[in-house]
């Protein structure tokens, strides 16, 4: 049920949950203020990638390439793309020997790329097979046919079901073939006797009756010839597994890496392979694995992100009835991205699908808080104008300051509630926590910087906008 080659074997490692250093301890350790954390305790605070790197350094076996993944994820990846590592290369072409050569060249090319943990090209022609090739001239000399020789090989080596025993509701086939010690060597196989008809006599015939083959002898005067006299017997190398995709033979190169984002790594690997590996005519490469998901997601995000921004723009415009106010509200998005990218950099997270999902969610959240901030400024401006206190630029500044100050408490309360819901995710463990952390991280960092920048920059932008209108009125 699992179409894996014989050279692939798996070891399941169960990670034990344990107490680990707190975030504060890790921060103090990283800046040098705390040095009393034992190495064993520090190891408990490692993330999965650090642990994989240590295990890769510790488990080094000549001729074996390590690839670390989760058991269920490996099965899903193999069913979806056939590649069980983060990145893989599918080499497609008409001949297995050429596929093997090209795959080895790709393996050697990507081994020295920064971040590569292991690269392994499947060995296509490492299988060993027993080849028995009957010599047509020899079997014709003895009056045999190809079927006669194949029947002997099938019955003596592969076995022949003679009958089936019935034991209650159970059925067991009775299979007869040569004992192992008589068929475990090409020389011994060559001594297997093949019955042939005696010259001038009758001939042997086989009939299959009942539940198994029955041999009926028309003339008992038979000769026997060794199989080695009428066939070439040898051990040959051949493919252990033959894969095909899109009407072509295929071979895979598995690549495991760490410390880099998938897109950046593949772009560098593509350039290196294009410069060093020469593809014969009729052969092509297909980059797969998680990279295949990334490409499909990028194509989808090219539609989703502009559509999301457009929907937010339309909703804000319906709320404010002003294009200028709409653009002022949308300025909260770049404000928040500053904190998002800083936190992603501090945590060592690469850009991924989960991060983009968090950024999209952050855009909607920023628009919401920006609208409320703009509402307070508008209310203060309208109040000053209604009461006749808007007579100079200083009065305009006072009204904007009044509205901004009134927004401080609601803004801090809003941010506190958001952080109270998101920060526990950053300390979560267990299944799915890695993905949830990468969704929450852009929102946590973005909310903090958007709060600071909205309270500081929004009033200044509003002052510039209204100040121009006020100057036109004075003129």
């Amino acid at each position: 049920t699992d179409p894996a080659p014989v050279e692939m074997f798996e070891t399941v490692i169960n990670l034990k949950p344990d107490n680990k250093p707190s975030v504060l301890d890790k921060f103090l350790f990283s800046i040098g203020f705390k040095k009393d954390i034992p190495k064993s305790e520090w190891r408990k605070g490692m993330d999965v990638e650090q642990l994989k790197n240590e295990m890769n350094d510790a488990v080094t076996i000549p001729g074996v390439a390590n690839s670390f993944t989760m058991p269920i994820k490996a099965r899903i990846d193999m069913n979806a793309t056939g590649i069980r590592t983060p990145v893989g290369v599918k080499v497609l072409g008409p001949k297995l020997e050429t596929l093997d050569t090209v795959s080895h060249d790709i393996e050697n090319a990507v081994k020295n790329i920064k971040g590569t943990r292991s690269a392994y090209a499947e060995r296509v022609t490492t299988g060993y097979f027993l080849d028995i090739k009957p010599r047509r001239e020899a079997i014709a000399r003895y009056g045999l046919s190809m079927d006669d020789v194949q029947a002997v090989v099938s019955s003596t080596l592969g076995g022949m079901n003679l009958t089936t025993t019935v034991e209650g509701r159970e059925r067991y086939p009775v299979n007869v073939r040569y004992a192992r010690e008589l068929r475990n060597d090409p020389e011994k196989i060559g001594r297997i006797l093949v019955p042939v008809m005696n010259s001038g006599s009758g001939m042997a015939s086989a009939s299959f009756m009942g539940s198994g083959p029955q041999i009926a002898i028309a003339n008992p005067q038979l000769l026997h010839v060794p199989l080695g006299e009428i066939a070439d017997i040898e051990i040959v190398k051949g493919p252990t597994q033959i894969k095909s995709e899109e009407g072509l033979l295929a071979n895979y190169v598995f690549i495991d890496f760490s410390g880099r984002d998938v897109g950046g790594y593949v772009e560098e690997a593509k350039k290196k392979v294009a410069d060093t590996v020469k593809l014969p005519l009729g052969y092509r490469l297909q980059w797969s694995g998680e990279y295949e998901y990334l490409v499909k997601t990028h194509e989808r995000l090219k539609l989703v992100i502009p559509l999301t921004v457009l929907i937010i723009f339309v909703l804000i415009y319906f709320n404010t009835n002003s294009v200028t106010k709409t653009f002022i509200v949308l300025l909260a998005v770049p404000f928040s991205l500053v904190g998002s990218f800083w936190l992603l950099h501090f945590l060592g997270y690469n850009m991924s699908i989960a991060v983009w999902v968090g950024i999209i969610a952050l855009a909607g959240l920023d628009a919401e808080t920006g609208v409320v901030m703009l509402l307070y400024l508008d209310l203060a401006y309208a109040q000053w104008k209604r009461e006749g206190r808007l007579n100079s630029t200083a009065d305009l500044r006072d009204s904007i300051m009044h509205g901004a100050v009134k927004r401080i408490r609601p803004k801090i309360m809003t941010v506190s509630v958001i952080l109270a819901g998101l920060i526990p995710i950053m300390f979560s463990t267990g299944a799915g926590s890695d993905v949830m952390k990468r969704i929450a991280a852009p929102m946590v960092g973005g909310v903090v910087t958007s709060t600071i920048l909205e309270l500081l920059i929004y009033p200044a932008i509003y002052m510039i906008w209204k100040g121009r209108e006020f100057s036109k009125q004075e003129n």
Side-chain angles (χ1 to χ4, degrees):
T1 58
D2 188 4
V6 294
E7 66 265 16
M8 188 193 88
F9 53 91
E10 296 180 346
T11 301
V12 178
I13 303 170
N14 295 317
L15 303 179
K16 296 181 179 180
D18 206 339
N19 295 328
K20 58 185 181 180
S22 65
V23 175
L24 179 60
D25 289 337
K26 291 171 68 176
F27 175 72
L28 295 176
F29 182 88
S30 63
I31 62 177
F33 281 100
K34 193 166 186 177
K35 301 180 180 180
D36 57 344
I37 301 179
K39 189 175 181 180
S40 59
E41 290 295 318
W42 181 251
R43 186 175 286 108
K44 294 175 185 176
M46 286 183 174
D47 60 21
V48 176
E49 287 303 317
Q50 290 174 317
L51 188 59
K52 287 179 182 179
N53 290 332
E54 272 213 6
M55 289 192 294
N56 186 65
D57 295 336
V59 183
T60 304
I61 305 173
V64 177
N66 296 327
S67 171
F68 298 95
T69 184
M70 301 296 179
I72 298 178
K73 181 178 182 297
R75 295 295 175 270
I76 295 173
D77 290 342
M78 290 179 72
N79 288 330
T81 63
I83 304 295
R84 57 185 175 271
T85 49
V87 173
V89 185
K90 297 179 180 179
V91 188
L92 307 177
K95 292 185 179 180
L96 286 174
E97 294 77 10
T98 309
L99 290 179
D100 192 54
T101 303
V102 173
S103 300
H104 276 72
D105 293 341
I106 295 174
E107 175 187 324
N108 295 328
V110 301
K111 274 184 177 179
N112 297 325
I113 296 178
K114 181 183 176 182
T116 302
R117 192 153 46 203
S118 66
Y120 174 75
E122 285 185 324
R123 271 51 177 174
V124 184
T125 57
T126 55
Y128 289 90
F129 299 88
L130 174 66
D131 244 5
I132 301 176
K133 298 180 180 178
R135 296 194 293 272
R136 293 182 180 273
E137 299 82 358
I139 64 175
R141 227 174 14 249
Y142 288 100
L144 296 171
S145 66
M146 291 290 289
D147 286 342
D148 295 332
V149 179
Q150 295 287 1
V152 171
V153 172
S154 174
S155 60
T156 57
L157 299 182
M160 181 177 289
N161 289 338
L162 297 181
T163 185
T164 301
T165 65
V166 180
E167 300 181 16
R169 294 177 57 84
E170 301 171 1
R171 305 290 188 272
Y172 296 101
V174 178
N175 186 280
V176 176
R177 62 176 172 172
Y178 273 25
R180 182 178 293 274
E181 61 270 13
L182 299 178
R183 56 181 170 82
N184 60 0
D185 184 83
E187 185 178 347
K188 295 178 181 178
I189 294 173
R191 293 200 291 266
I192 293 175
L193 297 178
V194 180
V196 299
M197 66 180 181
N198 191 359
S199 177
S201 304
M203 60 187 300
S205 63
S207 62
F208 296 87
M209 303 171 61
S211 58
Q214 313 264 333
I215 304 299
I217 305 298
N219 192 316
Q221 296 180 2
L222 294 177
L223 294 177
H224 294 82
V225 61
L227 183 61
E229 292 291 329
I230 59 175
D232 296 321
I233 304 169
E234 58 181 344
I235 302 294
V236 298
K237 294 183 68 174
T240 56
Q241 186 182 40
I242 299 177
K243 294 189 290 289
S244 64
E245 290 190 24
E246 302 177 9
L248 295 172
L249 297 176
N251 192 44
Y252 296 164
V253 181
F254 301 100
I255 304 171
D256 191 15
F257 68 95
S258 64
R260 300 186 60 178
D261 64 289
V262 177
Y265 180 86
V266 172
E267 291 304 318
E268 183 177 347
K270 279 184 176 180
K271 187 176 183 304
K272 184 72 177 291
V273 170
D275 294 340
T276 58
V277 179
K278 184 177 180 181
L279 282 178
L281 188 64
Y283 293 81
R284 61 187 178 87
L285 305 181
Q286 182 177 326
W287 294 80
S288 185
E290 290 183 11
Y291 177 72
E292 190 172 330
Y293 302 146
L294 184 67
V295 172
K296 292 179 180 178
T297 305
H298 277 180
E299 293 300 320
R300 190 170 300 171
L301 288 177
K302 287 179 182 178
L303 174 65
V304 171
I305 292 179
L307 184 61
T308 302
V309 174
L310 177 62
I311 293 173
I312 293 174
F313 182 90
V314 171
L315 292 175
I316 296 173
Y317 178 77
F318 286 161
N319 180 266
T320 60
N321 294 321
S322 170
V323 176
T324 304
K325 290 182 180 180
T326 302
F327 278 110
I328 292 176
V329 171
L330 288 178
L331 282 175
V333 176
F335 292 166
S336 60
L337 289 180
V338 174
S340 296
F341 291 133
W342 272 111
L343 185 58
L344 290 172
H345 174 73
F346 177 76
L347 296 175
Y349 292 167
N350 295 315
M351 293 299 295
S352 63
I353 299 171
V355 170
W356 278 110
V357 171
I359 290 175
I360 292 173
L362 178 65
L365 188 64
D366 288 337
E368 179 186 355
T369 57
V371 167
V372 177
M373 182 67 184
L374 188 64
L375 175 63
Y376 273 74
L377 296 178
D378 279 342
L379 290 175
Y381 178 81
Q383 180 183 353
W384 249 247
K385 192 172 184 179
R386 186 174 59 254
E387 295 176 356
R389 292 191 287 168
L390 203 62
N391 301 317
S392 64
T393 306
D395 295 336
L396 175 63
R397 185 181 299 109
D398 291 340
S399 67
I400 294 174
M401 185 65 67
H402 177 76
V405 169
K406 288 184 65 176
R407 176 62 184 140
I408 291 178
R409 182 181 295 175
K411 181 69 174 177
I412 296 300
M413 290 176 62
T414 304
V415 172
S416 300
V417 172
I418 294 172
L419 293 180
L422 293 176
I423 287 181
I425 297 176
M426 303 303 298
F427 294 93
S428 62
T429 57
S433 61
D434 288 341
V435 176
M436 292 304 300
K437 287 178 181 179
R438 283 158 176 78
I439 294 176
M443 300 177 69
V444 171
V447 164
V448 173
T449 54
S450 68
T451 301
I452 299 172
L453 294 175
E454 281 182 16
L455 291 175
L456 297 178
I457 306 298
Y458 256 42
I461 296 175
Y462 195 86
M463 176 70 187
I464 295 173
W465 175 44
K466 289 297 184 181
R468 289 180 177 179
E469 291 184 0
F470 196 79
S471 300
K472 290 178 182 179
Q473 293 176 2
E474 289 181 345
N475 295 332

